[in-house]
Amino acid sequence: MDTTAPLSDAAEGTTTAPTLADYARHSAFSDPGPHADLLRAVGPDPASAGAAACATIVHYRAGNPELTDEQSADIDRRWLSSILDGAVARQAGPLAAPRDHARQVAGCCRDHTLFALGVLRQHGVPARSRIGFAGYFEPPFFHDHVVVEHWAEGEDDGAGRWVRWDPELTPDGPWDFDVRDMPTGPASPFPTAAEVWQAISAGEVDPASYGVAPGIPELGGRDFVRGYVLLELAHRMRDEVLLWDVWGATPDDVPGVTELWAHEARADGAEPSSEPTSDELDALADEVAALLVAADAGDTSAEAALADRYAGRWAARGRVTTLSPTGRVGITDLASRTTRWAATS
């Protein structure tokens, strides 16, 4: 069976909304490559998948860990197969086995979630990643975050539902909610990017309370949340890109980006495409956020509309700008899985 067949053809501008069957098979990002048996050995429940994810992957920033040079290079591992390549090279054996810090692969919440998705999908369980903001690490600040949702079939009435959980949390922490069946909605511990964008647009919350971390205003605020609405859409469409991948609008305030894309345009023999205005991006975020919230409420027409909107320049396929936390800037070709990094001074 083809476990990584694409759901869209960006060249044709067509996309179909993922079904439960689609969420139960691997995306190009969650495909474990030669490591399927290692994932299959991990139980497809939140406790087992979360524990194995945290044993394999150490957060590159949380807790200020001291990283080896090899771990610093881990941060831009985009594909689960690559993450598992690194894990296996450093320590053979079950993924849930304890590891010394230096034998872990450095990553972030997106990678813990991608690992959990890989486990669930390897067992045929429909699962997807959700992009949003966690208000439970340093309240009242909401950190950008990625969590898991898996589909649970109903026991009595037969109606199933999406169960949301954070693979980095365990029930013995200082949480006032069930970490393996989190409440949802705009007032929940983890509002989605779409919900936060709507709250900001309505003037209900302070945009400065949302971002990477307190004290880093350049990586937070209104425009930051707007970008995460597109990230949420991409992940819903099973394109679980890095949190620092950007597409559709090329950042013009990062050294090296303009030059890189100009070079790519010349290589293609094409003129650089015009950039959308801030107002156009606001309108896009308004539309996509409304559709995401409606789709979460069960509106199947909104699911179809999201799929239609996710085409052409707004699909995270082809080439994306990669603004790595390591300070590197590059253009990543997702088809060939290669990144062309800008020269550093």
Side-chain angles (χ1 to χ4, degrees):
M1 182 179 71
D2 182 1
T3 61
T4 58
L7 289 177
S8 77
D9 184 347
E12 296 295 329
T14 58
T15 307
T16 58
T19 64
L20 285 179
D22 293 323
Y23 285 125
R25 64 184 176 86
H26 285 300
S27 68
F29 294 85
S30 69
D31 181 1
H35 309 296
D37 287 345
L38 286 175
L39 289 187
R40 197 175 294 113
V42 179
D45 58 280
S48 299
C54 291
T56 304
I57 301 163
V58 61
H59 200 292
Y60 78 93
R61 184 171 48 83
N64 297 314
E66 184 175 343
L67 302 181
T68 66
D69 290 342
E70 190 174 22
Q71 287 174 317
S72 294
D74 288 340
I75 294 171
D76 294 312
R77 289 182 187 261
R78 180 178 278 95
W79 319 97
L80 182 56
S81 58
S82 175
I83 292 171
L84 296 176
D85 284 344
V88 169
R90 294 170 203 174
Q91 178 173 308
L95 295 171
R99 290 170 177 259
D100 292 340
H101 168 74
R103 296 184 184 275
Q104 292 179 294
V105 176
C108 70
C109 55
R110 175 264 183 189
D111 304 304
H112 290 109
T113 288
L114 186 66
F115 182 103
L117 296 184
V119 170
L120 291 161
R121 290 171 177 171
Q122 192 63 42
H123 286 272
V125 178
R128 63 192 185 187
S129 52
R130 298 307 304 265
I131 302 286
F133 294 85
Y136 41 83
F137 292 123
E138 293 182 87
F141 191 83
F142 285 75
H143 292 262
D144 67 318
H145 202 44
V146 189
V147 299
V148 180
E149 283 184 345
H150 76 268
W151 183 260
E153 296 291 348
E155 296 180 358
D156 298 324
D157 58 8
R161 67 183 180 96
W162 288 104
V163 177
R164 185 176 296 177
W165 50 281
D166 188 331
E168 295 184 64
L169 305 187
T170 57
D172 56 358
W175 326 114
D176 59 359
F177 56 90
D178 185 346
V179 301
R180 292 171 183 161
D181 190 355
M182 297 167 62
T184 61
S188 70
F190 177 87
T192 65
E195 290 167 340
V196 173
W197 174 255
Q198 289 189 325
I200 289 174
S201 298
E204 298 170 350
V205 297
D206 179 5
S209 297
Y210 299 84
V212 170
I216 312 180
E218 65 273 21
L219 293 178
R222 183 181 182 280
D223 289 354
F224 183 88
V225 173
R226 183 181 66 189
Y228 267 49
V229 174
L230 278 183
L231 271 174
E232 184 182 350
L233 173 60
H235 278 236
R236 195 182 191 95
M237 293 292 129
R238 302 190 338 125
D239 285 332
E240 297 99 0
V241 291
L242 295 173
L243 299 183
W244 36 93
D245 283 335
V246 181
W247 65 98
T250 304
D252 58 8
D253 58 348
V254 178
V257 169
T258 302
E259 293 81 359
L260 272 175
W261 277 108
H263 178 276
E264 293 295 308
R266 290 194 299 271
D268 290 342
E271 292 296 323
S273 60
S274 60
E275 295 301 314
T277 66
S278 181
D279 286 346
E280 289 171 333
L281 290 173
D282 282 353
L284 174 68
D286 287 344
E287 178 188 2
V288 171
L291 290 171
L292 285 165
V293 170
D296 278 346
D299 185 339
T300 56
S301 65
E303 292 277 10
L306 283 171
D308 287 340
R309 204 67 179 92
Y310 190 68
R313 74 181 301 174
W314 303 116
R317 301 206 171 95
R319 283 173 292 189
V320 299
T321 303
T322 301
L323 307 175
S324 173
T326 64
R328 299 188 298 172
V329 176
I331 293 177
T332 299
D333 186 313
L334 295 174
S336 65
R337 302 192 177 194
T338 58
T339 301
R340 180 175 177 270
W341 298 104
T344 56
S345 57

